[in-house]
Amino acid sequence: MDKFVVHESQLSGTVKVSGSKNAALPVMAATLLTDSECTIHNVPDLMDIRTMIKILEVLGKKIEFKEGILSVKANKSKSFVAPYKLVRTMRASFCCLGPLLAKRKRAKVALPGGCVIGARPVDIHIRGLRDLGADIFIEGGYCQAKASQLQGAHIYLGGQYGSSVLATANILMACVLARGQTMIEYAACEPEIECLASFLKKMGADITGEGSPLIRVSGVKKLTGCEFVNIADRIEAGTFIAASLATRSNISIEGVNPFHLTSVIDISKKIGAEIIIEKGGVISIKPNQKLRPVNITTLCYPGFPTDLQAQFMACLSLANGISLVTEKIYPDRFMHVAELNRMGASIQRNGPYSIIEGVEKLKGAEIMASDLRASAALVIAGLAAEGKTEVLRVYHIDRGYENIEEKLRKLGAKIKREKQ
Ligand code: UD1
C-alpha cells in the first residue's frame, strides 16, 4: 500500500484536467448495446476504468486501451453475468444491467452493496427497468433481469435524495432499444448524463431533453459503433480549485468546460477568490489571503456536487469564521471530519450537517483516507498545513484521480508517494 507524504506548499502554474471517470464508465457500459466497434477518446487511466475493462472483457468484449484511447470490439462470448468479485470493487459496474438487458435480453449483475459513504441502494434502477417491462428478481446477491422485448414507458425516477445519476444512465441505456417511446421524468441532469446521451445519439439513438429532468427517447431497432470524445472531469477541476483556495495560490485550470462548474465557481467567489474564465475556457483562480466562511448544501446538478464537499470542507476549515455544510445526497459522507480535526480543524458533525469553525492554521499529522474524495480533501489539507502530513491508504485516490501527485508536483506541491 502507498501513502502520500505532503508538506505545506504554494502552488502556481497551469494544470490540465483529465477525462471524466464518471462520464467514461457509463459510456463504456453503453458499448454493450452494439456489436460494432466503438472508439472512445479522453478516457483517464484509472483503477475504476481498468475494472470496467475487465467487466466488459468478461461480458465478451475485446478491448485495447492506450494513451487515453479505448477501443471496444465484440468478441465471441455473449455472457450476461457481471460477477461479484469485480462489481464489489466499483458500484458503477451496476450500470451494465440496462444495456445487457436491452441487447442480450438477460442480465445477471452482482449487487454492489454499501460503501463507506453510505447505504447506496439500487431500488430506483430496478423500479425503472421494471417499468420498461423487465422481469427482475434478486437472488444470491445478484440482480437477475429478463425481458424478451423492453417496452417504452413513462418512468418517474425520483428518489428520497432526488435524482440518481447511474439509475438515469441505466434506464437511458435500456430504453434506447425498447419498442416505442419512453419519457424519463426526474432524470439526473448531470453533464455525465448529457455525455452518455451524446454517445448514444452517435450510435444512432433517438434522444431529446438530456441535461434536463425530462428525457424523451424513441426506441430504435439497432445501434452502431462510433468514435467519441469523452468530457473532462469537472470534479478533478473542482478539486484543483479547492487546492488553490486552501493554499491561497494562483493557478489556472485548462481542458474542462467551465459551465460544468458554475455552482463551484459561485461558492469559490463567495469564499474569496477572483475567478476569470479566459479565452478557450481556461479557469484562472486568484484567492484572497483571508478566506470567508460560507454555507454549502450539496444537491443534484446544477447544485453544488457532493463529490466536492470534502475538498471544500478542507478550505472552510481555514476560513475566517463559521461555515455550515449540509450533505443532502449522502447524509453520512463525513468520514473526513475526524481526520481534518486530527490536523487541528474545528468541525462538529451533527447528522447531515457539519459546523466548521475556521482555524488560523492546520497542523501536519498522520491521517487515513477513507474514500476517493475524502482522500483528495486530506491531500489539500496537507498542502495547506504546517509541517509534514502523511496520508495513508491512497489507493482510494488512485481510483479517481489520474497522476494526481505528478499534476500537483508540476504546480509546485511538495508531495511524494512512498510505501506505507
Ligand atoms: C454518481 C457518481 C458519484 C456521485 C453521485 C452523486 C458515478 C460513477 N458516481 O453515483 O461519484 O457522488 O452520482 O452525484 O457516476 N439512491 C437511492 N436509490 C437508488 C439509487 C440512488 O436511494 O436506486 C440514492 C443514493 O443513495 C444517494 C442519491 O440517491 O443518496 C444519489 O445517488 P446516485 O445519483 O444514484 O449516485 P450514483 O449514481 O451511484
Side-chain angles (χ1 to χ4, degrees):
M1 242 188 285
D2 292 348
K3 66 178 177 188
F4 280 149
V5 179
V6 185
H7 284 91
E8 185 173 14
S9 308
Q10 191 66 37
L11 310 180
S12 65
T14 302
V15 61
K16 186 168 188 297
V17 171
S18 296
S20 159
K21 163 183 88 74
N22 286 356
L25 292 170
V27 164
M28 288 168 74
T31 62
L32 290 165
L33 289 164
T34 181
D35 289 332
S36 334
E37 181 173 355
C38 297
T39 307
I40 309 157
H41 297 253
N42 202 26
V43 177
D45 192 354
L46 297 169
M47 235 139 79
D48 279 6
I49 297 290
R50 297 274 170 186
T51 303
M52 188 56 114
I53 289 176
K54 283 191 198 142
I55 292 174
L56 292 178
E57 282 171 344
V58 168
L59 293 170
K61 292 287 190 185
K62 200 164 164 270
I63 300 191
E64 273 174 42
F65 184 35
K66 228 168 135 189
E67 289 165 14
I69 304 173
L70 188 91
S71 117
V72 187
K73 289 183 194 151
N75 218 341
K76 283 205 183 83
S77 155
K78 288 279 180 284
S79 167
F80 54 87
V81 184
Y84 181 60
K85 73 170 194 300
L86 293 172
V87 173
R88 79 188 149 92
T89 64
M90 185 187 68
R91 289 185 50 85
S93 29
F94 198 66
C95 68
C96 291
L97 186 64
L100 277 179
L101 187 59
K103 178 76 177 152
R104 300 189 183 170
K105 318 290 180 204
R106 284 184 79 178
K108 183 175 171 187
V109 179
L111 285 169
C115 70
V116 66
I117 66 172
R120 307 194 73 176
V122 289
D123 55 306
I124 305 176
H125 302 240
I126 292 175
R127 202 176 70 210
L129 292 173
R130 281 199 175 126
D131 286 347
L132 290 170
D135 179 13
I136 303 191
F137 61 97
I138 309 288
E139 200 179 79
Y142 278 79
C143 176
Q144 305 211 39
K146 273 193 293 195
S148 49
Q149 173 62 62
L150 292 171
Q151 195 69 46
H154 185 152
I155 302 172
Y156 177 75
L157 274 192
Q160 194 186 348
Y161 300 103
S163 58
S164 160
V165 180
L166 288 176
T168 303
N170 239 335
I171 306 312
L172 188 58
M173 288 186 277
C175 71
V176 284
L177 289 177
R179 191 182 295 145
Q181 299 250 342
T182 297
M183 243 166 52
I184 307 174
E185 236 187 294
Y186 217 146
C189 304
E190 271 70 2
E192 293 75 17
I193 294 295
E194 270 192 88
C195 177
L196 172 65
S198 312
F199 179 66
L200 293 168
K201 285 198 214 183
K202 266 202 136 177
M203 294 174 89
D206 184 350
I207 303 170
T208 54
E210 68 273 19
S212 83
L214 182 63
I215 302 180
R216 290 171 199 271
V217 181
S218 289
V220 295
K221 287 229 161 67
K222 198 174 169 203
L223 295 175
T224 59
C226 68
E227 188 141 358
F228 183 74
V229 182
N230 183 34
I231 58 170
D233 196 323
R234 65 190 169 103
I235 303 301
E236 189 196 337
T239 301
F240 283 115
I241 295 180
S244 149
L245 289 170
T247 58
R248 278 79 146 187
S249 303
N250 298 355
I251 64 166
S252 297
I253 300 171
E254 66 179 14
V256 70
N257 182 345
F259 291 112
H260 293 169
L261 285 157
T262 310
S263 63
V264 179
I265 290 174
D266 180 62
I267 285 288
S268 303
K269 285 180 177 167
K270 286 181 182 143
I271 293 175
E274 186 189 346
I275 300 197
I276 299 164
I277 313 295
E278 289 168 15
K279 237 169 114 193
V282 174
I283 304 171
S284 123
I285 309 129
K286 291 184 186 152
N288 301 339
Q289 278 310 306
K290 271 202 181 323
L291 304 181
R292 285 189 291 266
V294 298
N295 295 342
I296 296 180
T297 302
T298 64
L299 291 165
C300 299
Y301 191 84
F304 190 89
T306 172
D307 283 352
L308 287 171
Q309 180 254 105
Q311 299 89 315
F312 274 73
M313 194 181 286
C315 301
L316 294 178
S317 57
L318 291 162
N320 196 19
I322 294 174
S323 306
L324 174 70
V325 168
T326 306
E327 178 52 67
K328 289 250 185 172
I329 309 291
Y330 297 113
D332 287 325
R333 191 177 205 173
F334 285 117
M335 301 293 284
H336 42 284
V337 167
E339 301 303 302
L340 289 171
N341 282 343
R342 294 190 62 246
M343 297 179 75
S346 174
I347 308 171
Q348 270 187 50
R349 181 195 162 185
N350 189 354
Y353 306 102
S354 279
I355 300 158
I356 304 133
E357 203 180 331
V359 295
E360 192 67 36
K361 212 62 201 153
L362 293 173
K363 304 242 162 56
E366 206 174 24
I367 43 177
M368 186 90 80
S370 56
D371 73 74
L372 167 55
R373 306 304 171 186
S375 323
L378 299 182
V379 169
I380 290 171
L383 292 172
E386 266 170 15
K388 173 169 145 185
T389 298
E390 293 195 15
V391 185
L392 309 181
R393 294 198 184 175
V394 295
Y395 59 86
H396 290 292
I397 214 167
D398 293 332
R399 282 188 42 219
Y401 291 91
E402 195 179 41
N403 305 328
I404 182 77
E405 78 266 33
E406 263 171 55
K407 286 185 181 184
L408 282 169
R409 253 200 313 267
K410 269 196 184 159
L411 290 174
K414 294 178 199 137
I415 177 169
K416 58 181 184 203
R417 185 184 285 259
E418 287 182 3
K419 287 273 165 261
Q420 198 168 304

